[in-house]
Amino acid sequence: MHVTPAPPRATRTPVLLGTQLMFNVGFFAVVPFLALVMTDDFGLTAAVVGLVLGVRTFAQQGMFLVGGVLADRFGARRTILTGCAVRVLGFATLALSLLTPAPQLALFVAGTVLTGLGGALFSPGVNILVADAEQRRAPAGARHRASLFAWLSVAGEFGAVLGPLVGAALLGWGFVVVALAGAALFVLIGVFLAFALPRRKPASTERGIHGRWWSLRDRRFVAFSALHAADLLAFNQLYLALPLQLARAEAGPAVVAAMFAWVSALTLVLQLPVSRWCHRVGAARALRVGYGLSAAGFAVVAASAVVPLDPTGRIVAVFAAAGLVILGHLTTNPTAQGLVPRFAGTLPTGSFFGLLSTCGGVVVLIGNVAVGALLGWTAAPFAAWVMLAAPLVVAAVCAPRVAASAGTADSPHR
């Protein structure tokens, strides 16, 4: 008698959302204080601090493609657990750099890079499991509910809010305690996931598919990833260009903190309703509107740089821009992630999720240098904002057309 084997067990959604929350608590308890340590303990200039943090970001975002390919090859569970171990090593190295008789900058930089590499390993694996869970959800009412990627964003934002509070509470005992606490948290996360994540064969083995780097062979997805990189570049300006614009308006640290609180509040309140709207109107319209909103945000700041405004008016313009940029990100990012399985078709999704993030990481690394240079161009104070809006306009026009081809059988690899 032939018995059909049971389908592989899926990871429970609460496990994935709780994992994302704790990942961000551990990350944001440590990483926001790296610049302070490099300035106070190592005496580095702002330019060098920016370079080190840029390398850390690239080690994470830029290496997502490698992490995704490894997840396809060895399985999401294994790469997630390896990523947790690498991040533990990174945080421990940060602490060790300050425990030596004289602070060791080389160790500190190595720790920041390892911290990024850990994320590059576990984040694609989490995305693979979320996409798998999304596809297994009951189709009833699908057009009226938020996607799991939207829920993942909300869970991550809760962690991003809680993490700095935890880090600030521990900072009174020194950064070494903060780093070791972050390492201990990731040890606990790793132990929990070792039991909570089901053991499954890698996707490529399950489907009998051989080969690597599938995403790079799909020209449509490469184009979509390049276009969507405009979203990550825009989102990163919440931490670079917009705070600098507030400083130019003579706003103090409290105003900058208020802007971040404003962004977090919008994320927590609007992400799920926005995701439901995106499901109703479809991916093409959601992408067009989302990129357009972010472009409008930078247009607001560009106008405020040209029109004579008092400091209060310029601060209001920055808050309006931040609101539009985050609303655009809440619209486009879960939509783009939800399209990944459609582009991948029957192929493993790891390299596809990886390429989507890697393109963003490369564009952020290059784009932030250009933005920093243009912000200092007093002859054209609007130039940086126009440069940031331009790729978003291109994405709003072109990305929906490319997204419409997702799921078609044009690719020779399907």
Side-chain angles (χ1 to χ4, degrees):
M1 177 179 176
H2 176 72
V3 179
T4 303
R9 181 166 64 92
T11 308
R12 294 180 178 178
T13 300
V15 170
L16 295 173
L17 300 182
T19 296
Q20 183 69 10
L21 186 149
M22 296 311 297
F23 275 164
N24 275 16
V25 169
F27 178 83
F28 285 99
V30 178
V31 171
F33 303 102
L34 294 181
L36 180 66
V37 174
M38 284 187 280
T39 302
D40 293 347
D41 292 82
F42 294 100
L44 301 183
T45 64
V48 177
V49 170
L51 176 62
V52 173
L53 294 181
V55 170
R56 192 218 66 79
T57 300
F58 183 77
Q60 181 162 332
Q61 295 287 345
M63 295 299 289
F64 264 43
L65 177 57
V66 175
V69 170
L70 291 174
D72 287 340
R73 173 66 179 84
F74 298 105
R77 179 181 183 276
R78 190 175 297 180
T79 55
I80 289 172
L81 295 179
T82 302
C84 289
V86 172
R87 181 152 286 180
V88 169
L89 180 61
F91 284 167
T93 304
L94 291 174
L96 181 62
S97 71
L98 297 174
L99 288 173
T100 55
Q104 298 294 315
L105 180 60
L107 274 179
F108 192 88
V109 173
T112 62
V113 172
L114 286 170
T115 298
L117 290 175
L121 287 170
F122 60 65
S123 289
V126 171
N127 286 337
I128 290 171
L129 297 180
V130 170
D132 179 61
E134 181 70 52
Q135 290 180 314
R136 293 168 184 259
R137 294 173 88 188
R143 292 178 62 84
H144 303 284
R145 69 186 179 199
S147 71
L148 290 184
F149 285 107
W151 280 101
L152 198 71
S153 175
V154 172
E157 191 61 31
F158 270 115
V161 171
L162 293 174
L165 299 178
V166 173
L170 295 174
L171 197 59
W173 286 281
F175 181 77
V176 169
V177 173
V178 175
L180 291 178
L185 179 59
F186 271 90
V187 168
L188 295 176
I189 294 172
V191 171
F192 167 72
L193 293 179
F195 291 97
L197 297 180
R199 295 178 182 273
R200 294 178 57 178
K201 294 180 180 179
S204 56
T205 303
E206 284 183 356
R207 302 175 192 179
I209 297 172
H210 302 285
R212 307 286 182 273
W213 313 98
W214 292 110
S215 59
L216 293 175
R217 305 182 191 185
D218 189 333
R219 288 176 293 179
R220 294 170 306 172
F221 188 71
V222 171
F224 180 75
S225 298
L227 290 166
H228 183 64
D231 172 72
L232 187 60
L233 177 62
F235 179 75
N236 268 260
Q237 302 320 306
L238 295 171
Y239 305 95
L240 175 63
L242 293 179
L244 290 176
Q245 188 70 4
L246 285 177
R248 289 182 173 182
E250 301 175 1
V255 178
V256 176
M259 186 195 76
F260 289 130
W262 163 241
V263 168
S264 293
L266 289 177
T267 300
L268 295 174
V269 172
L270 295 180
Q271 177 64 91
L272 298 181
V274 165
S275 179
R276 295 187 188 102
W277 177 82
C278 292
H279 271 270
R280 287 198 301 271
V281 303
R285 185 178 177 188
L287 292 172
R288 188 176 297 112
V289 171
Y291 295 129
L293 286 170
S294 294
F298 294 125
V300 168
V301 188
S304 73
V306 176
V307 177
L309 294 174
D310 60 15
T312 300
R314 285 184 285 168
I315 291 172
V316 170
V318 171
F319 272 67
L324 288 168
V325 168
I326 194 60
L327 188 56
H329 180 71
L330 299 181
T331 304
T332 57
N333 197 51
T335 301
Q337 290 179 317
L339 285 170
V340 167
R342 287 168 55 184
F343 274 108
T346 59
L347 298 172
T349 57
S351 72
F352 286 82
F353 279 116
L355 180 62
L356 192 69
S357 294
T358 289
C359 283
V362 172
V363 168
V364 167
L365 187 63
I366 298 172
N368 278 359
V369 174
V371 168
L374 290 175
L375 284 173
W377 191 12
T378 55
F382 56 85
W385 311 108
V386 172
M387 190 215 82
L388 288 166
L392 290 163
V393 173
V394 173
V397 173
C398 300
R401 300 176 186 175
V402 181
S405 69
T408 60
D410 294 341
S411 173
H413 308 292
R414 296 182 190 282

